[in-house]
Amino acid sequence: MDFSIPKHVQDIAHRVRQFVDNEVIPVEAELLKTGDDLTVEMLQDLRSKAKAAGLWAPTMPKEWGGLGLNIQEIVPVFEAAGRSMLGPLAIHCAAPDEGNMHLLHTFADEAQTKRYLEPLAKGEIFSAFSM
């Protein structure tokens, strides 16, 4: 198995790292300093910036606004996002949303895709996990 990281994935991971450094970590630092909680509005602002930077939803297909990365390609991208607790939330690859999007994308029927996956992939709703 070839474990080399393709150039386009290296480029995406580099851009995610810069995004986390320049946009996400300052927000995280301010929240830690003030003790405030992350608001939905603050998260949506970060997500808008991630979308504008072309870093949205690494595992979702390009036609859905994602990057269309496969299971091997997401590793360096997730690593770069994970430098901050808010990084995966900002680029839309945090649990449980990422896993639920992947599951729905793989197995959902047309009605489930329309009702659950489309708004989740767009970042309009959040998912949950319950046992």
Side-chain angles (χ1 to χ4, degrees), residues 47 51 56 64 92 101 117-125:
R47 288 179 162 194
K51 287 177 183 179
W56 181 249
W64 290 42
H92 204 27
M101 287 188 297
L117 180 54
E118 286 184 17
L120 182 59
K122 292 177 183 175
E124 296 170 353
I125 63 171

Side-chain angles (χ1 to χ4, degrees), residues 9-130:
V9 175
Q10 291 177 28
D11 292 343
I12 294 168
H14 177 74
R15 290 178 33 235
V16 168
R17 184 180 179 95
Q18 288 181 314
F19 178 79
V20 168
D21 286 349
N22 297 332
E23 300 292 343
V24 180
I25 288 178
V27 171
E28 186 176 59
E30 183 64 24
L31 292 172
L32 289 170
K33 181 177 145 185
T34 63
D36 292 338
D37 292 328
L38 179 70
T39 65
V40 172
E41 294 78 19
M42 294 166 76
L43 177 58
Q44 295 299 20
D45 182 55
L46 286 172
R47 288 179 162 194
S48 292
K49 291 176 182 178
K51 287 177 183 179
L55 301 173
W56 181 249
T59 62
M60 287 290 93
K62 291 181 179 182
E63 62 267 18
W64 290 42
L67 299 177
L69 301 179
N70 67 38
I71 195 76
Q72 291 174 309
E73 295 171 330
I74 63 173
V75 174
V77 174
F78 281 21
E79 181 180 26
R83 295 188 61 249
S84 161
M85 292 294 290
L86 301 179
L89 278 171
I91 70 166
H92 204 27
C93 67
D97 289 350
E98 195 287 322
N100 290 334
M101 287 188 297
H102 178 78
L103 180 70
L104 287 165
H105 185 253
T106 305
F107 297 108
D109 63 27
E110 189 176 328
Q112 292 166 328
T113 297
K114 189 81 171 153
R115 182 172 179 186
Y116 301 112
L117 180 54
E118 286 184 17
L120 182 59
K122 292 177 183 175
E124 296 170 353
I125 63 171
F126 296 93
S127 66
F129 177 80
S130 177

